[in-house]
Each structure stands twice: as structure tokens, then as C-alpha cells.
Amino acid sequence: MQSAFSLSFSQSSLTLPNRPLCSPNAAPRNLRFCGLRREAFGFSPPKQLNSCRFQVKNRRIEVSAAAGGNGAPSNKSFDYDLVIIGAGVGGHGAALHAVEKGLKTAIIEGDVVGGTCVNRGCVPSKALLAVSGRMRELQNEHHMKSFGLQVSAAGYDRQGVADHASNLATKIRNNLTNSMKALGVDILTGFGSVLGPQKVKYGKDNVITAKDIIIATGSVPFVPKGIEVDGKTVITSDHALKLESVPDWIAIVGSGYIGLEFSDVYTALGSEVTFIEALDQLMPGFDPEISKLAQRVLINPRKIDYHTGVFASKITPAKDGRPVMIELIDAKTKEHKDTLEVDAALIATGRAPFTNGLGLENINVATQRGFIPVDERMRVIDGNGKLVPNLYCIGDANGKLMLAHAASAQGISVVEQVTGRDHVLNHLSIPAACFTHPEISMVGLTEPQAREKAEKEGFKVSIAKTSFKANTKALAENEGEGLAKMIYRPDNGEILGVHIFGLHAADLIHEASNAIALGTRIQDIKLAVHAHPTLSEVVDELFKAAKVESPASTTPQSVKAAV
Amino acid sequence: MAASSSFLSTASLSNPKSTISFASSVSPAPIPSLRRVVFRSPSSRRRVMTIRSKIREIFMPALSSTMTEGKIVSWIKTEGEKLAKGESVVVVESDKADMDVETFYDGYLAAIVVGEGETAPVGAAIGLLAETEAEIEEAKNKAASKPSSSAVVPSPPPATSSPAPAIAQPSPAAAASDGPRKTVATPHAKKLAKQHKVDIGSVAGTGPFGRITASDVEAAAGLAPTVTPPPPPPPPAAAPAPTAKATTTSSPPLLPDASIVPFTAMQSAVSKNMIESLSVPTFRVGYPVNTDALDALYEKVKPKGVTMTALLAKAAGMALAQHPVVNASCKDGKSFSYNSNINVAVAVAINGGLITPVLQDANKLDLYLLSQKWKELVGKARSKQLQPHEYNSGTFTLSNLGMFGVDRFDAILPPGQGAIMAVGASKPTVVADKDGFFSVKNKMLVNVTADHRIVYGADLAAFLQTFAKIVENPDSLTL
């Protein structure tokens, strides 16, 4: 179980073979990965290509209509054009795009707007990581000395740190709510469920109809059997983000994104950490080379040890003067291996879809391990393998790629489809990031995945690597530790995957993810200019280091420039 | 010792033929060149004439200053394969990176002593290199006869992302279990134990639930506990220390209910300075000073905000102006460093700490300015806002315990200064003058500790005499 969940990212990306990177009617211009943009209309590209002009004009008209109150349903027989169940980042992204497209939209939320990401996930954890990054820097005398800085002992106030996280969540939640209100999205309060085709119930007994329905109910922390969560000494990320205590010694079960980020937070705040990983290696799902380097930087020199290839079969919270007890069994033989005694345990074994009580039985949909089965267009598949008309599922609930911005992108993709433009999201162009210090980011395939694919399809794979050690900006920051790695096809210059470990890696990945999304080839992008000195030159170097056999294409852009 | 003679320096590369290398191995570079396989003769090291060095040991190179052991990631060459000078032979994983290690001899990889995935300490033989094909067999026998001795250590837990699930987690705690009490050590404690070569099983745990914490290991290793040690532990401790430290590992266990409180940053700074002070040869000279006049002056200026500290600092400053050698310091053991300013540092105790705010130009500032300055510094010290130059620019230190009734004490000379003055309480004392008349005078004992490399007994005596004169005729202090 544990391994299945921590691997879900790599598995899902493996199961999506070779989708066309750019099809003419899937202009990725409309793909916005950030579900947190504050207003829908702030974005207007300064210059549109001729072919797009008509569409843009059209959109503006719709916009003004929509801004006048979320319009009226285009089909009078429905209350709404689109109803979204779940106001997390996925639902929010879909709602904003739907209004932009002129759909009368409602969003149903049974808990708080913002979902996991904003309230119990990415957002508050970034606040904690912002603190841990600074603490780490201030505590590192050697690092400070190399700047010529002198800092007396750095300390922190736990409540102050916790408040920063909760304040940030509140602020982002308000931004999200306001952005939807401002556009006239109806926010309906209460748990939503599907009553039948195109019919949704929310709260006690409010029934509404909609032409299309998107399920975006997200996920909750997954707790394996045998683990007793008491919320104090045995906790999930939901509790950990409140930072009600900083234990001296905490075991983290699972060494994926969540576990890694929390190890960064806890060790910076003075805890010692023991990782428990079911697979034979820490950080499964990352490119092996990156995880090896990451382990050298993020694990080995810190107060962290680990047990790999083991399950935590039983975890008992601290009570009656006893510490938290963790029974470890071998992941393969299931034999008892060890018993750990620690002050606290954080369960970061992945996330389970939150799909109970959705009324799926009403439309004959059976979940798979809780996930709602969907096709590549996020259309829900019923128990007979048939598509359920007008019903879509995005985000963690479908389990394709459990990332906030993936949910949002899927939502936008669905809205594109229901407004008459076929669209298939290329999941291999969705970047992922882990916000440790330094950060880890990636897009596309890992090297082993790429090699496997290359073998199957008979093409050659090359690797380009650059180091942060050679980057002026990184050295100025005394942060030369880091590696960027690109996996590509030398024959046509296609980027298959990019993995970055180093300062601000999470921000650097987008050049690569955009190139993959837009189908830009290395021989073209390598001619683009990067400001000096910036960290982006690490990626620039990567493109320039690649040896591609095909010549640069003559793009309309460059022709224009030549004239 | 052995290191510099047995390691072959890069310089000798130009002489690829065996024996010469050992003659030239006394050449400068003491550290084996990075990224090169380091060779040494398996037979006697120094005898130039032994031409038995045709089979060489390839041993684990030190790839970084902090590296104590390395893991063989992969052998690029297989046994029996021919090697050319400069070719990569093996990939070694250190604490920092994977590196290709090259040979700088032609020959044959005769035997692999430490296999892939195994770990060997720096300097241990990991393979054998034969010069000719004929010698391969001999080398193999040699390898077989010494069953990899110290070299092969199964990969220890925190070292690596080990590929073999079998060795995934034989945590030391588990191994040592089934005793009367299971040994529980925190991750940091285990790392420190490994770093300082402390046997974790022999450490008494004083942490919660009897677990072994980092400070227990530090205590066992005879180290001062550090406050929030920065992630990469400073290298110096790694290499030379362990041998010396190893003997002290079994320090007496703590009493059962003792509690361990790690130093704050300030306390560790004090500790560090105090240890450093041991390297300076110091001596002490005491002097009784009559304070009747000073006390009278103090009563007069007290309402104007003048403190006793300011008075003493001013007096010391003025005396120092006349005896610059006492205000000097010895930086390198070879010369006097005369300071152009007289900056009197005054030791102050603040909740659990000790800091020395500095009254700069104590000889030049007037009493009132000094007193004002002092108040400001003490305020800053309490709120931990002192800037570095406000506590580390002292050229002379004053420490006064008189207010506690201490009659005399002995101060430790802070590193970087020439002298420190310890001031006791001023007490009514019966004195007989030269005519034999008894009288009662207020006397205070002043004791100065100085660096004897630059300050000699007569210097100190003269300085104290001047100081006493100033204190006994304190009018000059108010000028």
C-alpha cells in the first residue's frame, strides 16, 4: 500500500505513453497551470499572432458579458452550464476558466474554499519552508562567515511560525474566494453529491441541474492500517502544518515530497528525523541521479537517519509515559525487523482520494482504490467501461497526477472541451517541485523511464547536465550545490525530461515545462537569450550543452526579427 | 608520518618505473592527489632497493577533506584487464560526490579487493595492480591471502542509497538489542558516534526514555557540546582528532539524575575562548591599592551618573597610556602588536552568559562620557544587540567582582589581549605606616594576568604602580 501511493506519480506518468506534444487544435496558450491567479482577465498577451486574433476578440466580448453577473445558462433547461463539486485549486481553476468562456458556473464546497492545497497543503507548508530556509541559513555559521556576516544565535518562536502559516492560508483562501465572487461564480455551501445525470444535490436538500458536472473533491492524507493517529504525537500533514509542537525526534513515514519537505522544516527547527520508507531507496519517483545528489545534500549531512525497505506495521501514540512506538516489518518478507521509540511520527505515505458519499452509485460508477476512473479527457468511466456523459473528474480524485496545478490544468482542459474545443492535457508537460532547501523540480520522464521508452520505440536518448557550481548568481549566493539534467532525443531535439536540484529549482523548471508543452525543440530554444547573471542560465547551459542533429527551424518569429 | 612517505605524490608521475617512486615519495605533497588512485608498495616501504613493487596496491583515495571512507560505486575495469596511465579504473562515492578514479601506471588490474557496493576506509587497499601479465596470478594469490582485512565493511546505514535491500537497515540499535535494555540513539547521536568513532553501545543515554542523544555522544567523545552545529560539520575534527579522542571515549558516566543542558551560543563562545587561552603562557602580579580618595571621588560624582566601572576603566586607560606594552598583544608568538587605541573591555555577567562590552578610547573619553557609554553598552548587552566591534575590540580587560565582597581573584587572559585586571572589593584594612602608626584605610587588591611572551614582571609591576598612583590621587580622572 505504502509503496503504491508514494509511487503514484511515476506510475501515472508511465501509463501515459507518448502523447502528441503539440496538436494544432490544442494550442497550449490557454493552459494555465497556476490555479491561484487572482483574476481571470489580467492576462492579455501584448501581441497575438494573426491566426488568433478573431478568437481573442470573441473572448473579450464574452468576458464583458460574463462580468455582468456570470451570465445565464446557455440552455434554459438547466440551472447552470457547469457545476463543480469541490472548491480546491482544481475547481477554482476550472470555475475561472468557465466564466471566462461565458459559462454560468456554480461551485459547491462542503468545507472551506481552497481545499487541501490552500488550507492543508502546498500553501501553509510553503510558509513553514520559508521559515526553515531562513533558519537553516542563519544557523549555518560557515555559510554566514563566507558572506562576511556575523549573526548571533538564531532562534524562533513556534507560535509565530505557526501563525505565519495559518495567516498565509487565510490570505490565499480569501484571495481565492474573492476572485470567484468578483467573477460572479456562485459559491454553494454544503457537501455536494451526484443525484443522477446532470443533477447535483448540495447541503441538506438543495437540488440543482447543470449541463456539465466536474467532480473535484480532492484527497485526504492516507493512513495505512495499524497506525493510530491521535493528532498529537502521531500526526498527518494536516496536523503538522499547524505546528503545535516541535518534537525532539520525529519519525516520518514516507520519503516522497511531503515527507521530504517536512524533514526540511523539522530539522531546521531543531528536530531529529528518522525516515521510514517502504521502497529500497529514499525519494522514490525522483530521477535516480537527482535523488542520489539530494540525499547527499538533504539527508546525509542533516540530523536524519532512515530505514528503507520496511513498513511501519504498527504505530502507537505516546501515552502512559511511553514514547511513540513504531513496529517495523520487512517490506518483502513481512518479518519483524525493529521497534523504534520516538517522540512523534508524521504519516506522509501519500494521499487517498476523497470520493465517499458522492453518490457515484447513482450513475453506476465504481471507484478504483477510491479513485474515480477517467479517460484522457477527464470524462468519468462507469462500471461498464462506458463514458458517463457530461460528467468529469479532475485532480486528486482521479489520481492521474496528484498536484494542485495538475488539477487546475485538468479543469481548464475540461472547460475547453465543454465549450467546443477538443483538448487533451499533456501530463508530461506538468512540472512538479519539492520545496526543500535547495529545491527539487522535474518535468517529463526520468532517465530510466526515458531509456525504457526509447528502447521500446527505437530512438536514441542523450543526457545533458549542468552544475550550479558554474553559475555566477548561484555562486554569489554561496549556493553552488546543484545539478540540472535534461533527457532528450539527439535526433530531433525533443525534450523528454528535465530534472533540477538546486537553488530556486522550482522556479527554473518552467522554461523546460513550457518548451515541452509547446513542443519547442532544443535547437530552437538554445538560441533564446537569458539575462546574465541569473540562475536561468543553468537551464540555458543545459540547452546549449545538448547535441542535436537537426538544425534550428526557421520560425515565423525569427523571420520577423530578420526583417 | 607514514602517510607522507608511503603516499606517492603526483610529482613522481614522470618516473613511472617502480622503485623510483618510493625514493621520491618524500617529496612535498603530503596529501595524495585527488582523483588519482594512490599506490603503495605492499612490501617494505622505504627500502629503495626492494624491486618487489611491481604489484601495487590501489587504495581508497581521499576525495575530499572530510572523507573518511568511500564506497565503490563500480569498477570500470575488470580483473585481468589492461590499464593505461590516466584511464579511469573505478568510481568511488565519497561523502560529497561520485568520482572516477584514474590510474597513473600502466599495468593490469590483477585483483579487486573491495567489490562494488562495498565500503573501505581511506587508505585501505581496494585492488591490486600488476605490472605484467605474468604477475597477475601472484597478485591474485596475494589478494586471496589477505582476506580483504580491514577493507571490507558492509555499507553502514547513513552512508548511501544502498542498492541491496538486504543491508537496508541493520541499525546499530537493533543489532545491540536483546540486552537488558534496548539501546536507542537519535539520528544525530548515531552520526556523531560514527564521526568521532565512538562505540554507541558504550554510551550511557541520558535523553528522554534513556535514549542516547547527541550530547551524550559528544560527552563520551570528550567534546564540548555544540549549539546547533551547522549542517556540514567542520572538517578538522574528522581527521586528526579521533585517535586522541578515542582514548577518552569512556569518560565517567553521568550520575543518574544529572541533566544535560547544551551551551547557548554565547556559552560556547566563552568555552572556545577559554580553551584557546590555554596556549598562552601567563603569569600574575597582585597589588594593593588604597581607595580612600577614589571612594570620596565616587561619592561626589555618583549623582552625575558616574559608575565605579567608568572610574576604574578610566584609571586603567590612563595607566595603560603610560605602559603601552601592557596594552599590546602577541599575535604570532614572534612580535609585539602595539595597539593604537586603548579599548578597555569590561566583563559583564548576563543571565547565564558572559560578555565583554568595550569602552573604546578609555584614556581619552571623560568620565561622564564613559559612564554614559557604559550604560548604553550594558543595555545593548542585555538585549543582545551589541555589535561585534562593541564586544571584540578590547585591548585590555577589566573584571570586577568587588561588589560581591570578593577580596581577590585570578582572571584568565582572553585570547588576543596582553593583560586582564581582576579587581577585588575595597575593604577597610588596618595598615601601619612607616612611622609605626596604625590606621584604617580602604584597600582593594588588584591582580593582573598577563601574557609573559610580551609583558614581563617588571612591566606589570610598573603598570600597577602607575595605576595605584592614579587611583590614590584620582583628581586626574576628572580632568
Side-chain angles (χ1 to χ4, degrees):
Chain A
M1 274 306 254
Q2 281 164 315
S3 64
F5 279 98
S6 50
L7 264 182
S8 62
F9 165 58
S10 51
Q11 278 173 348
S12 53
S13 49
L14 270 172
T15 53
L16 292 169
N18 201 23
R19 192 151 292 132
L21 280 179
C22 178
S23 61
N25 54 2
R29 186 169 53 83
N30 282 318
L31 290 185
R32 287 181 202 134
F33 293 103
C34 174
L36 299 184
R37 69 208 152 111
R38 296 185 56 185
E39 31 173 8
F41 311 121
F43 168 80
S44 62
K47 219 171 212 177
Q48 292 289 338
L49 296 176
N50 275 342
S51 59
C52 296
R53 203 166 271 158
F54 174 72
Q55 201 188 341
V56 166
K57 222 183 195 171
N58 208 4
R59 212 167 70 185
R60 288 237 173 87
I61 294 164
E62 286 167 358
V63 163
S64 57
N70 192 14
S74 44
N75 186 331
K76 294 286 181 221
S77 56
F78 295 108
D79 298 332
Y80 291 97
D81 291 321
L82 179 66
V83 164
I84 302 158
I85 306 176
V89 167
H92 174 261
L96 259 55
H97 195 63
V99 173
E100 188 179 339
K101 287 289 187 179
L103 302 183
K104 182 168 171 56
T105 309
I107 195 161
I108 300 175
E109 179 55 59
D111 189 18
V112 281
V113 170
T116 297
C117 168
V118 173
N119 300 295
R120 298 173 300 272
C122 346
V123 170
S125 67
K126 293 308 96 53
L128 297 184
L129 283 157
V131 174
S132 77
R134 281 175 177 78
M135 273 302 282
R136 212 170 272 294
E137 212 167 348
L138 292 173
Q139 286 169 342
N140 188 343
E141 262 175 74
H142 174 72
H143 181 79
M144 282 294 158
K145 231 180 232 165
S146 63
F147 281 122
L149 290 178
Q150 285 168 328
V151 178
S152 54
Y156 68 92
D157 158 35
R158 185 199 51 78
Q159 193 54 47
V161 180
D163 290 348
H164 175 50
S166 69
N167 291 345
L168 179 69
T170 308
K171 184 181 277 176
I172 302 295
R173 182 166 62 235
N174 290 341
N175 286 350
L176 233 66
T177 312
N178 293 341
S179 69
M180 290 196 289
K181 277 191 183 149
L183 291 175
V185 174
D186 287 347
I187 303 176
L188 311 174
T189 311
F191 277 97
S193 61
V194 181
L195 277 187
Q198 300 176 301
K199 199 183 276 181
V200 171
K201 187 183 100 169
Y202 73 94
K204 268 219 166 103
D205 43 14
N206 309 303
V207 177
I208 48 171
T209 56
K211 188 176 155 290
D212 294 294
I213 299 166
I214 296 179
I215 297 172
T217 46
S219 61
V220 292
F222 169 70
V223 179
K225 262 188 282 175
I227 297 178
E228 185 188 339
V229 171
D230 72 343
K232 295 270 183 282
T233 56
V234 180
I235 57 177
T236 67
S237 55
D238 287 3
H239 310 105
L241 289 166
K242 293 186 190 139
L243 201 72
E244 277 167 357
S245 69
V246 178
D248 288 342
W249 184 4
I250 185 165
I252 299 182
V253 186
S255 66
Y257 299 72
I258 303 173
L260 263 188
E261 290 190 356
F262 274 107
S263 79
D264 196 281
V265 170
Y266 279 117
T267 52
L269 299 184
S271 304
E272 296 181 36
V273 168
T274 295
F275 269 120
I276 297 167
E277 173 58 53
L279 296 187
D280 290 336
Q281 272 198 27
L282 289 181
M283 297 178 251
F286 293 88
D287 185 87
E289 200 167 350
I290 296 288
S291 67
K292 197 168 185 184
L293 178 64
Q295 186 171 335
R296 279 203 183 104
V297 178
L298 301 177
I299 308 279
N300 295 351
R302 297 185 181 172
K303 296 174 188 173
I304 301 177
D305 69 351
Y306 52 84
H307 299 252
T308 53
V310 289
F311 285 128
S313 60
K314 186 161 187 268
I315 301 185
T316 333
K319 55 187 164 202
D320 310 328
R322 290 166 65 86
V324 174
M325 308 290 280
I326 303 178
E327 299 289 331
L328 296 184
I329 57 167
D330 189 286
K332 293 191 185 77
T333 64
K334 310 287 180 218
E335 278 166 19
H336 176 84
K337 286 201 77 169
D338 203 352
T339 305
L340 303 182
E341 297 176 14
V342 292
D343 296 321
L346 167 66
I347 314 305
T349 41
R351 301 188 57 89
F354 181 62
T355 51
N356 278 346
L358 259 176
L360 295 171
E361 61 284 353
N362 299 336
I363 41 166
N364 187 29
V365 170
T367 59
Q368 294 170 0
R369 292 183 302 141
F371 293 108
I372 297 177
V374 293
D375 72 350
E376 62 193 14
R377 288 178 174 79
M378 311 302 141
R379 293 178 292 198
V380 174
I381 299 169
D382 72 10
N384 305 324
K386 294 216 177 74
L387 294 178
V388 180
N390 308 100
L391 183 65
Y392 301 82
C393 175
I394 62 168
D396 289 3
N398 72 30
K400 269 185 180 294
L401 183 49
M402 295 172 86
L403 295 167
H405 49 275
S408 183
Q410 290 171 354
I412 289 165
S413 172
V414 169
V415 171
E416 284 291 307
Q417 292 168 53
V418 302
T419 51
R421 209 169 68 87
D422 188 29
H423 184 263
V424 175
L425 178 65
N426 175 14
H427 282 80
L428 286 178
S429 73
I430 298 179
C434 185
F435 294 83
T436 42
H437 296 92
E439 296 170 343
I440 310 171
S441 63
M442 71 206 77
V443 64
L445 304 174
T446 63
E447 187 178 337
Q449 287 168 353
R451 294 219 180 269
E452 193 186 318
K453 183 178 166 184
E455 188 141 329
K456 239 180 254 163
E457 297 175 19
F459 58 83
K460 262 175 57 184
V461 166
S462 289
I463 310 286
K465 280 185 233 174
T466 52
S467 162
F468 279 65
K469 279 196 186 74
N471 180 276
T472 310
K473 190 71 189 304
L475 290 177
E477 302 282 345
N478 268 332
E479 302 271 3
E481 194 107 55
L483 171 81
K485 169 178 177 178
M486 175 169 68
I487 302 136
Y488 65 99
R489 285 182 63 158
D491 55 343
N492 62 10
E494 180 187 338
I495 302 172
L496 299 172
V498 172
H499 304 264
I500 308 176
F501 174 77
L503 185 62
H504 294 306
D507 292 306
L508 292 176
I509 197 68
H510 297 95
E511 196 166 357
S513 64
N514 287 352
I516 293 179
L518 297 167
T520 313
R521 298 294 158 103
I522 299 167
Q523 59 270 32
D524 296 324
I525 202 169
K526 76 195 291 182
L527 301 174
V529 181
H530 294 71
H532 175 76
T534 58
L535 292 172
S536 72
E537 288 170 291
V538 170
V539 185
D540 186 29
E541 290 291 323
L542 208 50
F543 297 141
K544 291 194 161 70
K547 292 191 172 58
V548 180
E549 288 145 21
S550 357
S553 54
T554 318
T555 62
Q557 213 76 20
S558 61
V559 169
K560 217 187 271 172
V563 176
Chain B
M1 25 141 273
S4 68
S5 60
S6 65
F7 289 160
L8 179 66
S9 71
T10 332
S12 59
L13 269 180
S14 49
N15 297 319
K17 280 299 163 197
S18 56
T19 54
I20 301 148
S21 58
F22 299 96
S24 63
S25 63
V26 204
S27 63
I31 301 163
S33 69
L34 295 185
R35 312 209 39 184
R36 293 272 167 151
V37 177
V38 188
F39 295 88
R40 80 183 156 207
S41 159
S43 55
S44 97
R45 287 165 191 173
R46 310 221 62 170
R47 284 165 52 202
V48 176
M49 293 320 290
T50 355
I51 316 208
R52 300 219 42 244
S53 58
K54 287 189 175 161
I55 297 164
R56 298 189 177 84
E57 283 180 5
I58 303 173
F59 63 96
M60 180 61 74
L63 299 173
S64 75
S65 55
T66 54
M67 176 172 167
T68 55
E69 59 177 24
K71 183 180 150 194
I72 309 292
V73 176
S74 62
W75 282 95
I76 298 166
K77 302 287 177 182
T78 51
E79 286 188 6
E81 206 169 332
K82 195 172 181 346
L83 307 176
K85 201 166 85 181
E87 265 186 310
S88 296
V89 182
V90 58
V91 182
V92 169
E93 177 185 300
S94 74
D95 53 340
K96 298 258 159 57
D98 287 352
M99 287 200 195
D100 285 2
V101 180
E102 303 160 6
T103 168
F104 45 70
Y105 284 103
D106 292 331
Y108 295 86
L109 180 58
I112 288 172
V113 179
V114 179
E116 290 182 5
E118 289 173 342
T119 304
V122 167
I126 55 174
L128 293 179
L129 182 91
E131 194 165 286
T132 65
E133 226 164 331
E135 285 159 342
I136 293 179
E137 272 314 304
E138 187 191 335
K140 275 193 175 154
N141 294 338
K142 204 177 275 287
S145 69
K146 48 181 289 186
S148 68
S149 61
S150 64
V152 190
V153 181
S155 169
T160 127
S161 50
S162 79
I167 51 169
Q169 235 4 284
S171 90
S177 72
D178 295 333
R181 177 83 180 88
K182 186 171 136 74
T183 311
V184 177
T186 71
H188 191 211
K190 283 186 216 159
K191 279 192 181 172
L192 282 176
K194 191 166 173 238
Q195 188 188 338
H196 297 297
K197 303 213 162 63
V198 173
D199 171 19
I200 198 105
S202 70
V203 179
T206 66
F209 310 105
R211 74 171 66 127
I212 300 164
T213 63
S215 44
D216 294 337
V217 174
E218 279 170 335
L223 299 168
T226 47
V227 215
T228 59
T243 43
K245 292 281 157 55
T247 55
T248 64
T249 46
S250 51
S251 73
L254 284 152
L255 293 175
D257 291 329
S259 64
I260 292 194
V261 181
F263 283 160
T264 61
M266 189 190 278
Q267 288 162 342
S268 23
V270 170
S271 165
K272 186 171 150 278
N273 277 341
M274 291 304 98
I275 300 290
E276 241 174 73
S277 73
L278 292 176
S279 63
V280 176
T282 55
F283 73 112
R284 292 147 187 94
V285 175
Y287 205 98
V289 181
N290 182 341
T291 61
D292 287 332
L294 185 73
D295 293 341
L297 174 68
Y298 181 49
E299 284 310 312
K300 245 193 278 173
V301 293
K302 204 174 169 183
K304 295 177 190 164
V306 173
T307 60
M308 184 50 93
T309 300
L311 281 167
L312 290 172
K314 175 81 177 166
M318 288 170 69
L320 285 169
Q322 294 180 39
H323 301 272
V325 75
V326 183
N327 193 49
S329 58
C330 181
K331 308 260 190 236
D332 53 1
K334 289 181 212 153
S335 58
F336 295 82
S337 305
Y338 287 99
N339 295 302
S340 50
N341 296 342
I342 293 173
N343 298 336
V344 177
V346 185
V348 183
I350 37 171
N351 42 11
L354 169 66
I355 195 153
T356 54
V358 176
L359 285 166
Q360 296 186 340
D361 295 319
N363 60 324
K364 290 182 189 150
L365 289 186
D366 71 44
L367 263 185
Y368 306 101
L369 276 178
L370 269 184
S371 303
Q372 220 176 342
K373 185 82 197 157
W374 180 243
K375 249 177 227 154
E376 188 189 316
L377 288 171
V378 170
K380 278 188 178 177
R382 293 236 162 84
S383 55
K384 298 195 170 161
Q385 308 230 297
L386 281 180
Q387 297 299 307
H389 71 269
E390 289 173 323
Y391 59 79
N392 64 16
S393 60
T395 58
F396 177 86
T397 301
L398 188 66
S399 181
N400 183 359
L401 292 180
M403 55 287 222
F404 300 111
V406 167
D407 69 341
R408 83 195 76 176
F409 70 104
D410 178 15
I412 293 181
L413 180 64
Q417 293 183 18
I420 178 170
M421 177 186 278
V423 180
S426 176
K427 283 186 173 168
T429 313
V430 179
V431 286
D433 68 13
K434 57 185 183 232
D435 300 323
F437 290 109
F438 289 95
S439 59
V440 175
K441 302 239 189 252
N442 282 333
K443 288 261 182 196
M444 96 184 160
L445 282 170
V446 173
N447 194 6
V448 178
T449 307
D451 181 348
H452 208 304
R453 290 174 302 176
I454 50 169
V455 184
Y456 308 150
D459 298 328
L460 219 46
F463 163 73
L464 280 166
Q465 209 172 13
T466 309
F467 176 77
K469 247 182 220 152
I470 295 170
V471 171
E472 283 161 11
N473 305 288
D475 288 346
S476 58
L477 290 176
T478 56
L479 292 179

